[in-house]
Amino acid sequence: MSRTRVVVTGLGTTNPLGGDVASTWEAMLAGRSGVRRLTEDWAADLPVKIAAQVAVDPTEVLDRVKARRLDRTSQLALVAAAEAWADSGLDQAELDGERVGVAMASGIGGVQTLLSNYDALKEKGPRRVSPLAVPMLMPNAPAAQVSLLIGARAAVNTPVSACASGNEGVALAADQIRLGRADVVVAGGTEAAIHPLPMAAFANMMALSKTGSEDGGDPTTVSRPWDTARDGFVLGEGAGALVLESYEHAVARGATIYAEVLGAGITADGHDIAQPDPEGRGGTRAIARALEESGISPADVVHVNAHATSTPQGDVAEGLMLHTTLGKHVEDVVVTSTKSMTGHLLGGAGALESVATVLAIRDRTSPPTINLDSQDPLVELDIATTARDLPSGDVAALNNSFGFGGANVAVLYGSI
Amino acid sequence: MATTEEIRAGLAELVNEVTGLDADEVQLDKSFTEDLDVDSLSMVEIVVAAEEKFGVTIPDDQVKNLKTVGDAVSYIEGQS
């Protein structure tokens, strides 16, 4: 039996660059930054006062009463999923909901709801804890809310693998379709962790860049993957969603197909709970498996949307992974890190970057990596510093995501 | 002390905040479940918000007796 082909037929996002796909893609190609200084009172005492908040607050888009019953992770997921669903042209009334699934990931879950209810508990007592706190903060709330939006009644999953979660959502959604468990799966990831507690925690573990927080520097230059002056990531928030569909199902309804999900690799480092393997062995295996599963050769890969978060170690390790897996062909690959513009969306990162990877294939254009003034000599990659043309013909593009816990997810997309 | 109408109007604001229902719909003769379609978790939210707004205590075992807006207004009047 031939392998079921999985294609992308809808895209959606809300993130620091834009509240939808069109504005996001325009901002990305123009090399704009969504990073800014936090002027809110709660940020005043934090060691890091720079983050990338969403460009359009979800409460401006969603119904007020609906929004107050949702953690921000679910609000962002719903905005992205609704756009992707509308973009796909699928109609709930014409679908069998039992053949529709969701794989909406989150790295941290409803942390803002948890903490605001804990504040209420401490200040006003247990009576003031919201009766909706649990269904709002539970990690599967965004996936469940998306399922309610589209009437999905096949598997509704929440992959959790820290900063690899969003990419894992896409990989596992493709599996559901290949296994014949669903015809359509809305996949992606969401995160809303710009709150003093996660900010302090990431800062204390030296993961966030401290540049610009006290010295009054320009916040838009702080996220600088592969640059010699990089010193940590910038925390972002947002969501990305992709409608995945079996090729047969998409063709039968005359859908517009963006790209094909060729294959994925999911591995674990088995090295450390927070530190990446310095040689990137787990990530290398993930990329190698994605190539193997896709049945393509390294020469087919023309573009990589890298995980590259702007940390000193991780960015170098990813360069090694690409050299090991792509060999001499790495010289012909246009590599970028859109985190230079969006910051790091944690569980939303892999999803937003999946959207960017698919658009790069559609438009044959790699978005740039901004702030790359002095490329680290340990990283021998061809990095686009302005929007760059990609080759015509049949091409493949790779999206990498790596997360705490040693999670590695690589997904390959192909033109169609 | 607040008048019956002031309490009704205050309660109507809370119902609007929690459920989105037009505050003008929240009249004394309306049943929370039958007429206003307020579900049990929304009722908990409204009760807790009313306790804070009016400085009263509404024990859980009393909530089931508050069938109409008028019942709730009377209970709050009796407590305050």
Side-chain angles (χ1 to χ4, degrees):
Chain A
M1 202 178 115
S2 67
R3 186 162 170 265
T4 300
R5 296 175 69 186
V6 178
V7 294
V8 181
T9 57
L11 300 176
T13 182
T14 182
N15 64 77
L17 291 177
D20 58 24
V21 169
S23 59
T24 298
W25 190 232
E26 186 197 348
M28 264 188 192
L29 295 183
R32 285 204 282 275
S33 172
V35 180
R36 72 169 189 88
R37 187 174 305 282
L38 295 170
T39 53
E40 291 83 346
D41 289 344
W42 57 257
D45 295 332
L46 292 175
V48 172
K49 301 177 181 62
I50 284 172
Q53 295 163 309
V54 288
V56 179
D57 199 274
T59 56
E60 292 173 22
V61 182
L62 298 171
D63 171 72
R64 174 184 67 83
V65 173
K66 188 175 177 64
R68 68 181 291 282
R69 294 190 147 205
L70 300 169
D71 181 79
R72 194 171 172 86
T73 51
S74 292
Q75 293 175 357
L76 296 168
L78 278 178
V79 171
E83 185 190 13
W85 189 251
D87 185 39
S88 75
L90 285 162
D91 181 354
Q92 190 180 330
E94 292 170 8
L95 284 171
D96 175 3
E98 294 182 15
R99 301 292 303 160
V100 180
V102 176
M104 182 55 69
S106 180
I108 295 185
V111 65
Q112 298 203 33
T113 295
L114 176 65
L115 293 170
S116 65
N117 275 277
Y118 186 55
D119 288 343
L121 175 73
K122 283 185 299 179
E123 289 162 17
K124 298 178 176 177
R127 183 76 172 157
R128 302 305 164 83
V129 173
S130 168
L132 295 162
V134 170
M136 286 170 70
L137 69 84
M138 61 190 190
N140 64 317
Q145 293 291 350
V146 171
S147 79
L148 297 174
L149 176 75
I150 63 171
R153 286 179 284 118
V156 174
N157 298 128
T158 304
V160 177
S161 51
C163 304
S165 303
N167 216 16
E168 190 164 68
V170 175
L172 297 181
D175 288 348
Q176 293 290 343
I177 295 170
R178 288 200 215 284
L179 287 166
R181 291 174 175 163
D183 299 320
V184 175
V185 180
V186 174
T190 183
E191 205 75 73
I194 300 179
H195 173 286
L197 192 144
M199 289 282 292
F202 280 122
N204 289 348
M205 76 188 299
M206 320 275 248
L208 293 182
S209 170
K210 292 193 167 66
T211 303
S213 283
E214 301 297 344
D215 60 17
D218 179 359
T220 66
T221 65
V222 172
S223 184
R224 42 196 317 115
W226 297 301
D227 187 86
T228 48
R230 71 190 185 276
D231 67 340
F233 72 82
V234 170
L235 185 60
E237 63 173 359
L242 297 86
V243 175
L244 303 191
E245 198 169 349
S246 75
Y247 177 75
E248 276 190 358
H249 194 271
V251 168
R253 69 183 184 90
T256 302
I257 298 174
Y258 284 98
E260 179 168 1
V261 182
L262 297 173
I266 304 176
T267 67
D269 280 351
H271 170 73
D272 187 84
I273 193 67
Q275 297 299 326
D277 181 324
E279 294 170 44
R281 285 170 293 198
T284 299
R285 281 189 291 118
I287 299 166
R289 285 190 183 187
L291 285 164
E292 188 183 356
E293 187 174 293
S294 301
I296 63 170
S297 95
D300 298 322
V301 180
V302 299
H303 173 59
V304 177
N305 190 309
H307 183 66
T309 62
S310 187
T311 59
Q313 276 195 355
D315 292 11
V316 172
E318 190 169 10
L320 297 175
M321 295 173 202
L322 294 175
H323 275 269
T324 305
T325 53
L326 301 178
K328 64 178 169 50
H329 298 290
V330 76
E331 293 170 15
D332 305 319
V333 175
V334 180
V335 181
T336 195
S337 171
T338 45
K339 288 188 183 77
S340 60
M341 298 174 277
T342 65
H344 187 357
L345 274 57
L346 307 179
L352 171 58
E353 289 150 23
S354 296
V355 171
T357 308
V358 167
L359 291 172
I361 288 179
R362 182 194 68 177
D363 292 352
R364 303 300 164 113
T365 307
S366 167
T369 299
I370 64 169
N371 301 321
L372 186 61
D373 299 329
S374 163
Q375 187 166 335
D376 187 331
L378 293 174
V379 180
E380 292 179 29
L381 296 171
D382 181 8
I383 299 163
T385 54
T386 57
R388 185 102 71 82
D389 289 347
L390 297 174
S392 56
D394 293 339
V395 298
L398 174 69
N399 183 30
N400 285 340
S401 296
F402 312 120
F404 285 169
N408 309 293
V409 181
V411 177
L412 272 164
Y413 296 89
S415 56
I416 199 154
Chain B
M1 191 175 149
T3 66
T4 300
E5 172 52 23
E6 283 166 352
I7 294 172
R8 186 209 62 80
L11 198 58
E13 271 179 38
L14 300 178
V15 172
N16 170 263
E17 172 69 20
V18 171
T19 68
L21 199 72
D22 190 336
D24 292 341
E25 299 275 314
V26 186
Q27 296 299 333
L28 295 177
D29 61 339
K30 293 290 172 67
S31 157
F32 285 107
T33 53
E34 304 293 320
D35 300 321
L36 303 180
D37 207 22
V38 174
D39 65 28
S40 60
L41 289 182
S42 295
M43 194 64 192
V44 175
E45 287 196 280
I46 292 164
V47 164
V48 172
E51 288 183 329
E52 182 160 12
K53 186 172 189 124
F54 300 109
V56 297
T57 303
I58 308 174
D60 285 344
D61 59 6
Q62 286 295 323
V63 173
K64 65 178 184 301
N65 299 327
L66 307 180
K67 297 199 186 312
T68 65
V69 175
D71 294 341
V73 170
S74 300
Y75 190 87
I76 292 165
E77 280 184 310
Q79 290 284 306
S80 51

